[in-house]
């Protein structure tokens, strides 16, 4: 009896999808900016119209988060991104500098591999499809197995809408038999030109080691420092709004709170007033042992769950009205679970003497986990903001805003994105909120502005003037700059 080898079949499926994606991308590359923009607009509207149904599908399938909040994420990923990119030039000639005689031309990267997590499945698919299409690329999605149905459904909506707008078949596709082997085949396929990896650390590392150019993001573990000049009720409200949004599954959300000693009591009182629950030291041990596994990894059972469900799973009593669980923490590292990323409404709580100590502690937390990602400050002190901006190893230093929403660009001026680069310090190829600008290369047409003889002449003129006794009392640097500018002016005429 013949038994189908699922891994081999999934690998063959990937090869077929990539082959079609390459052919489709060749057609996209011939389209005008207007044609590309029409496709993007139609796709964005179709996804926006289905935002609620897709949100409910995601929660039903994964068990993560709140569908009401996922509706807002789907809206940001469709309508929000469309508003941001609709006037963006991404096709053909981007810029002409007549003075320097340089012309810049957009060149699509080609076939994009879109790796999709289970925490933000539908919104991430919409977002990656739109930014890829806007830059003239095709995209093949590799879905997380635990979110397969909602991801496939989202892709189908995008495919149908794109086809109505004139998009070639194969420009958007998805692996329907997900496996590690299939994802590896997609990442390593010679016709895959770029990987957009959003997910766990292991997957992102696999993307970077695949041999294919990749844009990946590491874990978030952002601390929130409430400095003494902060509007305390507002700061607490924003932290709770952020940490409860979609039950904390956005990686930019706050993971710990840092406060100064002389305002600790006031901060705790305000958190309690607004619905936070501080667990007892005894319960904090039980909760900590549950949320972080012995290996140091986050327990997937608590991801995107409510405080009450987490409490039940951890074996502690949690009040029915508790919005977020908070436990006091003193250290940083694997032995200190509240110092690590927790994609759920759970926060660590640190106390320091002053903002300088908060500065050092936040760096220690970030270097343990989440380096290069995000941090938030609540303060009115511009000097403190400047000091943190100069020293903190993050790509997004958010000020007086909910971190989860500010990081993805919903409540800040950052580009709305669900792939947040962590920069070189975080092992990422970019520190950007990834946009279409990251998904095309620039071909530069550079016209000649001089000859070798002109360069030699300019050099000899400068040498003569600098060595001349007449120049002894003249600022040499100013003289050199003046002479070089005169030569350039002459050449440009």
């Amino acid at each position: 009896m013949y038994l189908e080898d699922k891994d081999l079949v999934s690998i063959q499926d990937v090869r077929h999808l990539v082959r079609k994606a390459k052919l489709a991308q060749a057609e996209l590359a011939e389209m005008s900016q207007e044609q590309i923009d029409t496709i993007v607009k139609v796709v964005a509207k179709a996804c926006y119209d289905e935002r609620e149904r897709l949100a409910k599908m995601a929660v039903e399938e994964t068990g993560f988060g709140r569908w009401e909040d996922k509706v807002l994420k789907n809206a940001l990923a469709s309508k929000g991104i469309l508003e941001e990119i609709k006037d963006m030039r991404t096709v053909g000639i981007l810029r002409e500098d007549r003075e320097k005689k340089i012309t810049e031309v957009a060149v699509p990267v080609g076939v994009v591999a879109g790796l999709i997590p289970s925490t933000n499945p539908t919104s991430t698919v919409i977002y990656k499809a739109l930014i890829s299409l806007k830059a003239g690329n095709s995209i093949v999605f590799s879905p997380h197995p635990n979110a397969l149905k909602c991801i496939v459904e989202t892709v189908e909506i995008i495919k149908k809408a794109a086809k109505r707008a004139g998009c070639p078949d194969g420009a958007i596709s998805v692996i329907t038999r997900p496996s590690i082997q299939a994802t590896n085949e997609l990442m390593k396929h010679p016709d895959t030109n770029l990987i957009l990896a959003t997910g766990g650390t292991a997957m992102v590392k696999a993307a970077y080691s695949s041999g294919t150019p990749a844009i990946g993001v590491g874990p978030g573990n952002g601390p929130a420092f409430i400095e003494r000049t902060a509007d305390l009720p507002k700061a607490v409200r924003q932290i709770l709004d952020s940490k409860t949004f979609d039950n904390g599954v956005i990686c930019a959300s706050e993971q710990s709170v840092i406060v100064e000693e002389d305002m600790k009591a006031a901060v705790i009182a305000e958190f309690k007033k607004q619905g936070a629950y501080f667990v007892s030291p005894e319960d904090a041990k039980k909760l900590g042992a549950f949320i972080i596994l012995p290996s140091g990894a986050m327990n997937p059972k608590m991801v995107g769950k409510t405080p009450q469900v987490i409490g039940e799973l951890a074996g502690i009593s949690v009040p029915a009205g508790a919005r977020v669980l908070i436990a006091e923490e003193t250290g940083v590292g694997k032995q200190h679970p509240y110092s690590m990323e927790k994609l759920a409404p759970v926060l660590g709580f640190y106390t320091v003497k002053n903002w300088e100590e908060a500065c050092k502690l936040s760096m220690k937390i970030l270097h343990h986990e989440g380096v290069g990602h995000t941090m938030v400050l609540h303060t009115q002190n511009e000097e403190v903001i400047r000091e943190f901006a100069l020293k903190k190893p993050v790509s997004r230093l958010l000020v007086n805003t909910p971190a989860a929403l500010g990081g993805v660009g919903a409540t800040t001026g950052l580009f709305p994105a669900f792939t947040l680069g962590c920069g070189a310090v975080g092992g990422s190829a970019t520190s950007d909120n990834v946009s279409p600008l990251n998904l095309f290369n620039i071909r530069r047409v550079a016209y000649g502005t001089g000859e070798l003889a002109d360069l030699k002449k300019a050099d000899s003129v400068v040498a003569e003037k600098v060595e001349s006794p007449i120049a002894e009392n003249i600022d040499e640097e100013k003289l050199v700059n003046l002479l070089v500018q005169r030569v350039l002016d002459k050449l440009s005429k």
Side-chain angles (χ1 to χ4, degrees):
M1 180 179 178
Y2 172 74
L3 295 177
E4 181 180 81
D5 189 316
K6 294 181 179 179
D7 291 337
L8 288 177
V9 171
S10 67
I11 290 172
Q12 187 57 46
D13 286 346
V14 168
R15 291 173 181 170
H16 176 67
L17 294 177
V18 173
R19 183 166 57 252
K20 290 190 67 177
K22 184 178 181 180
L23 294 172
Q25 197 281 318
E27 294 186 46
L28 286 173
E30 296 297 321
M31 290 185 173
S32 67
Q33 184 74 70
E34 184 180 7
Q35 289 173 307
I36 291 291
D37 288 349
T38 298
I39 295 171
V40 168
K41 182 178 180 180
V42 172
V43 168
K45 184 182 185 305
C47 293
Y48 181 77
D49 290 344
E50 294 278 16
R51 65 193 184 281
E52 183 173 315
R53 183 171 71 89
L54 292 176
K56 289 178 177 178
M57 281 188 68
V59 173
E60 182 179 352
E61 183 176 7
T62 66
F64 296 159
R66 303 175 68 249
W67 72 262
E68 298 89 344
D69 293 337
K70 290 190 185 296
V71 171
L72 296 178
K73 289 200 289 189
N74 288 341
L76 178 66
S78 54
K79 186 177 181 180
I81 286 180
L82 177 63
E83 287 300 311
E84 192 76 16
I85 68 176
K86 63 181 181 180
D87 298 322
M88 188 181 288
R89 189 80 194 169
T90 58
V91 173
I93 295 176
L94 302 175
R95 188 173 70 95
E96 291 181 280
D97 189 328
R98 298 190 182 280
E99 184 178 344
K100 294 184 177 180
K101 296 187 178 181
I102 290 180
T103 300
E104 295 182 346
V105 181
V107 181
V109 296
V111 177
V112 175
L115 277 55
I116 307 299
S118 56
T119 47
N120 304 297
T122 59
S123 54
T124 305
V125 167
I126 297 168
Y127 151 72
K128 288 187 177 182
L130 286 178
I131 65 172
S132 295
L133 289 170
K134 177 69 177 182
N137 304 302
S138 58
I139 184 166
V140 179
F141 289 105
S142 175
H144 192 290
N146 294 340
L148 178 62
K149 291 181 181 179
C150 64
I151 290 172
V152 169
E153 180 61 20
T154 306
V155 172
E156 286 302 312
I157 291 169
I158 294 170
K159 285 169 61 177
K160 289 178 182 177
K163 187 173 183 178
R164 290 198 307 270
C167 186
D169 288 336
I172 308 104
S173 59
V174 60
I175 298 171
T176 55
R177 308 187 200 201
S179 67
I180 294 175
Q181 290 79 4
T183 301
N184 284 335
E185 178 66 20
L186 175 61
M187 293 193 296
K188 296 179 180 180
H189 196 286
D191 288 332
T192 296
N193 302 106
L194 180 72
I195 302 168
L196 273 182
T198 309
T201 301
M203 186 194 67
V204 172
K205 285 184 177 179
Y208 276 116
S209 61
S210 67
T212 301
I215 297 176
V217 298
N221 190 30
F225 174 40
I226 303 177
E227 194 262 343
R228 64 179 67 250
T229 64
D231 180 335
L232 184 53
K234 180 180 178 182
V236 169
R237 172 174 55 79
Q238 290 183 335
I239 291 171
L240 293 180
D241 283 349
S242 175
K243 199 59 177 168
T244 56
F245 185 79
D246 208 14
N247 286 341
V249 298
I250 293 180
C251 55
S253 65
E254 300 85 347
Q255 304 299 323
S256 55
V257 175
I258 303 173
V259 303
E260 295 167 275
E261 284 180 353
D262 57 1
M263 59 185 298
K264 176 181 179 180
V267 173
I268 290 176
E270 188 62 38
F271 265 110
K272 289 181 177 179
K273 179 181 176 182
Q274 295 195 36
Y277 177 66
F278 282 77
V279 299
S280 67
E282 182 179 345
D283 283 347
K285 291 182 180 179
K286 293 181 181 179
L287 179 61
F290 170 74
I291 62 174
I292 303 297
L293 300 174
S295 63
M298 188 179 0
N299 190 339
K301 292 182 180 179
M302 67 100 177
V303 174
K305 300 298 191 295
T306 65
Q308 292 71 28
V309 170
I310 293 172
E312 184 178 352
L313 292 172
I316 66 172
S317 178
V318 175
R323 299 178 64 197
V324 169
L325 304 178
I326 301 180
E328 292 203 47
E329 183 61 270
T330 57
V332 176
K334 288 187 177 181
Q335 304 306 313
H336 302 276
Y338 299 101
S339 70
M340 304 180 75
E341 184 183 39
K342 307 164 288 296
L343 297 183
V346 179
L347 288 166
F349 190 89
Y350 290 90
T351 306
V352 295
K353 293 180 180 179
N354 49 44
W355 72 263
E356 291 91 347
E357 190 174 315
C359 196
K360 293 177 181 177
L361 175 60
S362 61
M363 289 181 73
K364 189 174 182 181
I365 292 171
L366 289 163
H367 278 296
H368 170 61
E369 187 177 39
V371 66
H373 207 290
T374 305
M375 175 177 183
V376 62
L377 290 177
H378 294 276
T379 179
Q380 303 302 320
N381 190 324
E382 291 295 329
E383 183 181 342
V384 169
I385 295 171
R386 180 176 175 80
E387 287 300 313
F388 273 71
L390 290 171
K391 298 177 181 177
K392 291 298 141 301
V394 292
S395 299
R396 282 155 292 277
L397 181 65
L398 309 174
V399 181
N400 300 327
T401 191
L405 302 173
V408 299
T411 60
T412 63
L414 296 173
F415 183 86
F418 291 93
T419 296
L420 310 180
C422 297
V425 70
S428 180
T430 181
S431 58
D432 295 343
N433 279 24
V434 177
S435 76
L437 300 180
N438 300 97
L439 301 184
F440 62 81
N441 295 317
I442 297 177
R443 178 184 297 128
R444 291 173 175 84
V445 181
Y447 292 79
T449 58
E451 301 287 346
L452 177 59
D454 298 319
L455 297 177
K456 290 181 177 179
K457 182 178 180 180
D459 182 62
S460 63
V461 169
V462 171
E464 287 177 11
K465 292 294 183 182
V466 172
E467 293 170 3
S468 172
I470 301 176
E472 288 180 2
N473 297 321
I474 298 178
D475 186 317
E476 293 185 4
E477 184 177 353
K478 288 184 178 179
L479 177 62
V480 170
N481 291 336
L482 178 62
L483 292 171
V484 170
Q485 187 59 52
R486 285 180 179 175
V487 172
L488 293 175
D489 290 343
K490 183 178 180 180
L491 292 174
S492 64
K493 291 180 180 178

